[in-house]
Amino acid sequence: MSSRQPVSSGPFEVEPFDLGRLLAAGATGDEVVRRSERWLVGVLDDARVELGAADREVAALVAGEGWSVAQVVGGWVRRAGGAPPGGVRELVAPGVTRVR
């Protein structure tokens, strides 16, 4: 399950269903939740968010709330990772970003 598969990143006006359709193909119940968690962690990895054990636990909790919740949170991460208007973000030190 890759975060690069076609799943809308929003903004959302109504509850999104495309991640649920993708994750539910050939799976039910707990497997859908695990796939949702892997998808969300993949989005965070793509955004170069360093994750610790507690971060992964929270990603699992978010995924457990439903795939639409995971998709909205993933959409926030993807949209936040875009280049800011008029500049490019550059990580210059851990936790320090410069906009050029």
Side-chain angles (χ1 to χ4, degrees):
M1 184 63 42
S2 168
S3 61
R4 291 175 192 80
Q5 291 182 339
V7 174
S8 174
S9 293
F12 303 103
E13 298 299 328
V14 297
E15 182 178 7
F17 291 102
D18 43 342
L19 179 61
R21 289 184 189 113
L22 177 70
L23 298 177
T28 59
D30 290 342
E31 179 58 27
V32 174
V33 173
R34 284 189 293 276
R35 288 178 179 188
S36 181
E37 178 185 351
R38 286 193 305 265
W39 179 86
L40 182 55
V41 168
V43 168
L44 293 164
D45 285 342
D46 288 349
R48 297 187 179 137
V49 175
E50 185 177 345
L51 299 175
D55 299 309
R56 291 182 184 278
E57 286 181 29
V58 171
L61 291 172
V62 169
E65 289 297 316
W67 42 259
S68 62
V69 174
Q71 183 174 347
V72 170
V73 172
W76 293 342
V77 171
R78 285 178 168 172
R79 292 192 316 261
V88 174
R89 284 182 204 258
E90 176 185 9
L91 184 64
V92 294
V96 179
T97 304
R98 175 176 47 207
V99 179
R100 327 183 253 128

